[in-house]
Amino acid sequence: MDAIRIRGARAGVSAAVLLAVLFPIAAHAQTSPLRVELPSLQAGPSAPLTAEAGKGLTLVFRITNTTPTPQSVLAHLQLPDGWQSLFASERLSLAGGASTVETVTVTPARDTAAGLYRVQYEVRLSPDEAPVVTVATVQVVERHQLTLSWPEPPVYVAAGASISLDLLVSNRGNVTEDLVLSLKSRLGVSLTPSSLRDSLAPGEQRRVRVTRAAVNVAQAAREIVTASAARPGQSPMAEAAASFQVVPVGRTTGLPRVAVDRKSTRLNSSHGYISYAVFCLKK
């Protein structure tokens, strides 16, 4: 049976280590000499476990040999696509009437969409034997993480000429984001984006072309173009600024060398990053 996602659930609260009681679901489990349990400290038998995309969730399995004869047990952990596991043994040795504890860490892929998923643990005595199966329902919670950046901002531009800038919008969270972009010029110049509203799936990146209108200046001035993105009616999730010099026409020769210092700053613990570029003149 393939590991599948259970749709239509709402996200819950994340946890690092979770234990739950889950009982064998296969009919043949009644006659098998093996028994599998996940003792619970937090959730009841029907409650889902909660996990964060990209972070480990620890499950503790207890496997019991109910016969007086020593047994060599085959174990298998079946995960949703893209998930990883640590410390999952494939073979266990059990004395007669003995139990052993297996601690397994499962990690949802970083771009796993929020929702309910199945993690299936199987034990059997031989490859030809039907397994004793236990299923944990894991709820992956929502993570909102958006970044904006200007990949190739200019060093300086000539006044009186329009220019185009590329803004990179990246959804690093695990939910689809419907976004509204806002743009601002320090010099009050008109800015026209190729798109003001976008919908980005988890892991998706999109370039937005921003056109800055032509404006004449009598003296060199520093321009800062700031972009922000927010869900409709909410505060910005991320911001980014590009800084460059605007130079009067005919005065671009003999300019000092320009160095670029790129930095990144977290906006807050639950919303993306502020990314910006600072351009410093060096003599």
Side-chain angles (χ1 to χ4, degrees):
M1 177 187 299
D2 293 335
I4 62 172
R5 176 184 173 190
I6 304 173
R7 300 182 181 275
R10 301 182 66 180
V13 180
S14 62
V17 179
L18 300 170
L19 308 171
V21 176
L22 295 168
F23 303 99
I25 61 174
H28 58 262
Q30 300 297 328
T31 59
S32 172
L34 302 175
R35 187 172 70 245
V36 184
E37 298 173 289
L38 263 67
S40 174
L41 293 181
Q42 175 186 352
S46 61
L49 310 178
T50 57
E52 296 182 54
K55 296 186 178 181
L57 169 69
T58 299
L59 304 174
V60 180
F61 297 91
R62 180 182 294 116
I63 303 97
T64 302
N65 175 14
T66 62
T67 73
T69 306
Q71 303 288 352
S72 179
V73 179
L74 301 176
H76 175 68
L77 186 68
Q78 192 162 340
L79 299 172
D81 291 341
W83 291 34
Q84 297 181 343
S85 65
L86 292 174
F87 316 118
S89 302
E90 296 182 353
R91 185 177 292 274
L92 309 169
S93 295
L94 288 176
S99 296
T100 188
V101 170
E102 280 289 293
T103 301
V104 180
T105 299
V106 299
T107 304
R110 185 169 180 79
D111 59 353
T112 300
L116 291 178
Y117 295 82
R118 290 162 56 96
V119 173
Q120 183 166 299
Y121 187 78
E122 304 172 354
V123 292
R124 68 184 84 196
L125 296 180
S126 70
D128 298 330
E129 181 180 283
V132 176
V133 177
T134 220
V135 173
T137 300
V138 179
Q139 186 174 53
V140 176
V141 300
E142 292 185 357
R143 186 186 75 251
H144 299 276
Q145 186 177 341
L146 186 76
T147 61
L148 302 179
S149 62
W150 302 92
E152 298 175 353
V155 175
Y156 61 85
V157 301
S162 65
I163 62 168
S164 292
L165 306 170
D166 282 337
L167 175 67
L168 185 63
V169 185
S170 305
N171 183 0
R172 302 179 185 274
N174 66 344
V175 294
T176 298
E177 300 287 6
D178 295 319
L179 302 171
V180 178
L181 296 176
S182 299
L183 297 167
K184 182 180 179 180
S185 162
R186 177 176 178 268
L187 300 180
V189 180
S190 174
L191 301 169
T192 305
S194 58
S195 174
L196 274 177
R197 300 181 71 97
D198 272 304
S199 180
L200 268 69
E204 185 179 0
Q205 290 186 334
R206 189 166 302 169
R207 284 181 181 265
V208 177
R209 178 61 58 89
V210 178
T211 301
R212 180 183 182 273
V215 175
N216 287 315
V217 295
Q219 296 181 341
R222 179 179 297 277
E223 171 70 293
I224 300 176
V225 176
T226 304
S228 62
R231 293 193 291 273
Q234 298 189 23
S235 58
M237 296 176 62
E239 295 182 351
S243 176
F244 50 88
Q245 291 292 112
V246 180
V247 182
V249 177
R251 300 185 183 180
T252 58
T253 58
L255 287 175
R257 183 167 60 92
V258 178
V260 179
D261 177 25
R262 300 183 183 277
K263 301 179 180 179
S264 178
T265 303
R266 182 176 294 275
L267 186 59
N268 57 50
S269 60
S270 61
H271 299 98
Y273 298 86
I274 299 174
S275 300
Y276 57 91
V278 179
F279 296 83
C280 304
L281 293 177
K282 289 188 177 180
K283 296 182 180 180

